[in-house]
Amino acid sequence: MVRRLHRRAVAVGHLTLPAVPSMIDEYVTMCGAIVAGLGVQFTPEQCAQLKGLLAEQLAEAYAASSRSNVVISFHKPFGTVVNYRVKAEWQTVQNAYDQWFAIREPPFFGTEPDARVWALSGETADPHTHRVLDIGAGSGRNALALARRGHPVDAVEMAPKFAHMIRLEAERQALDVRVIERDIFAIGDDLARDYQLIVASEVVPDFRDTRQLREMFELAARRLAPGGHLVFNAFLPRRGYIPDDAARELGAQCNTMIFTRDEMAGAAGSLPLRLVADDPAYEYEKTHLPESAWPPTRWYAHWATGLDLFDVERDESPIELRWLVYQKADGEPRPGADSGTGSR
């Protein structure tokens, strides 16, 4: 009777999952559990066929964007058969942030500038001569605050809605902020070569490989004045953890891309940039932000300690967000073209 009941069931549904090719066995297991609940058991041949379809679509989706999914649609008609389809879907990082802008309420990234950025910029005696480049400026949280302090600021943001927000607020407050609406690493000659500070806050976690890290370091080496600083945050392993492909791929989907310290050192290799500070972001921001501004957002503490990727207790997370500060020495970097990826 139970078997007859299952055969009379009709089911239609969709399973949407982020595209993580190295976790393909988990996708097969999920699908098997769904159809088993409907009274259908996949044969080994059917499992192999499903895995082949998943592998193809997962690879396509992940290669296209870190904002990508596979959608598994299934239909169980009357009887013992389940029909399914696997389809890759994706959007650009720029479109993802435009959509994010439309559905979330401000402040999007907090009301105060990053404490690490604020402290570093405050080391200069005269901010009016301390030009700043803010890469992936987002809603302008850092760029506008630095301009209010007196810094001339170039804010680069590729998401049109965020760029428009910065531009309007800078005009309203009569601030020295030049908004550049484009991919920071696209070829262009609209950037200065004498920045005293380059900021890339919450940008590197959206990178996908060490090539993009190298491009960021090369840009900093070309655009910083001697003695100037590059400050950015990035997820690094701790306690000897070595990330595998699955961790990197799911991390890319969660704005939590992981790079090792060896990869950081290799990406900055041969360039006139020296690491001068390395601080845990969660502890630094909690300690130095005004009490009323902590946490910056509801999601910050969870994200900065790696819990968007690892479902564990905070002190068990094998990664953490860290603030890294590099200083440019005298000398010129090796030639190279500005090219690469997006920002936030």
Side-chain angles (χ1 to χ4, degrees), residues 199-211:
V199 178
S201 176
E202 300 180 19
V203 171
V204 175
D206 248 339
F207 285 178
R208 306 195 70 190
D209 53 41
T210 54
R211 174 186 58 85

Side-chain angles (χ1 to χ4, degrees), residues 61-298:
Y62 185 78
S65 174
S66 60
R67 300 297 192 274
S68 57
N69 296 312
V70 288
V71 181
I72 306 164
S73 304
F74 61 90
H75 173 218
K76 180 194 173 298
F78 190 100
T80 60
V81 174
V82 174
N83 302 309
Y84 61 86
R85 184 180 67 162
V86 182
K87 181 181 179 182
E89 293 184 346
W90 62 84
Q91 58 182 334
T92 65
V93 173
Q94 175 182 339
N95 289 340
Y97 277 117
D98 280 343
Q99 185 181 54
W100 198 66
F101 181 95
I103 63 176
R104 295 205 179 190
E105 293 292 329
F108 299 103
F109 308 106
T111 58
E112 297 290 323
D114 290 309
R116 190 69 187 92
V117 173
W118 191 247
L120 193 60
S121 69
E123 294 177 2
T124 180
D126 183 7
H128 295 88
T129 63
H130 201 84
R131 181 179 292 277
V132 177
L133 173 64
D134 187 3
I135 297 174
S139 59
R141 177 172 51 91
N142 285 314
L144 296 170
L146 293 173
R148 284 192 291 269
R149 177 178 260 179
H151 296 275
V153 178
D154 287 346
V156 181
E157 175 53 53
M158 70 177 182
K161 292 180 180 178
F162 282 132
H164 181 65
M165 175 187 292
I166 300 171
R167 193 176 290 112
L168 285 180
E169 193 60 24
E171 291 174 357
R172 187 182 71 82
Q173 299 183 42
L175 298 174
D176 187 3
V177 177
R178 182 170 65 115
V179 180
I180 302 170
E181 188 177 326
R182 69 170 176 85
D183 179 336
I184 181 60
F185 298 121
I187 295 174
D189 197 31
D190 49 1
L191 300 179
R193 292 185 177 271
D194 62 346
Y195 294 108
Q196 296 294 328
L197 178 63
I198 294 180
V199 178
S201 176
E202 300 180 19
V203 171
V204 175
D206 248 339
F207 285 178
R208 306 195 70 190
D209 53 41
T210 54
R211 174 186 58 85
Q212 295 170 308
L213 269 183
R214 177 67 180 185
E215 288 169 347
M216 179 187 68
F217 283 122
E218 287 180 342
L219 182 143
R222 279 190 296 272
R223 301 298 180 176
L224 280 172
H229 292 91
L230 164 69
V231 57
F232 63 93
N233 44 21
F235 283 96
L236 298 177
R238 60 183 183 182
R239 295 195 294 269
Y241 170 68
I242 301 175
D244 59 13
D245 289 343
R248 291 180 187 270
E249 291 166 4
L250 184 57
Q253 294 280 14
C254 302
N255 189 30
T256 310
M257 184 60 177
I258 309 165
F259 293 104
T260 67
R261 293 187 180 279
D262 286 345
E263 288 170 333
M264 283 288 174
S270 77
L271 297 174
L273 297 169
R274 179 172 62 96
L275 181 65
V276 295
D278 181 344
D279 303 295
Y282 175 88
E283 286 80 3
Y284 192 99
E285 297 300 308
K286 185 176 182 179
T287 301
H288 294 92
L289 278 175
E291 185 176 349
S292 61
W294 177 260
T297 64
R298 288 180 296 176

Side-chain angles (χ1 to χ4, degrees), residues 302 306-313 316:
H302 198 268
L307 302 188
D308 278 6
L309 175 56
F310 296 101
D311 186 11
V312 296
E313 296 299 321
E316 296 175 351

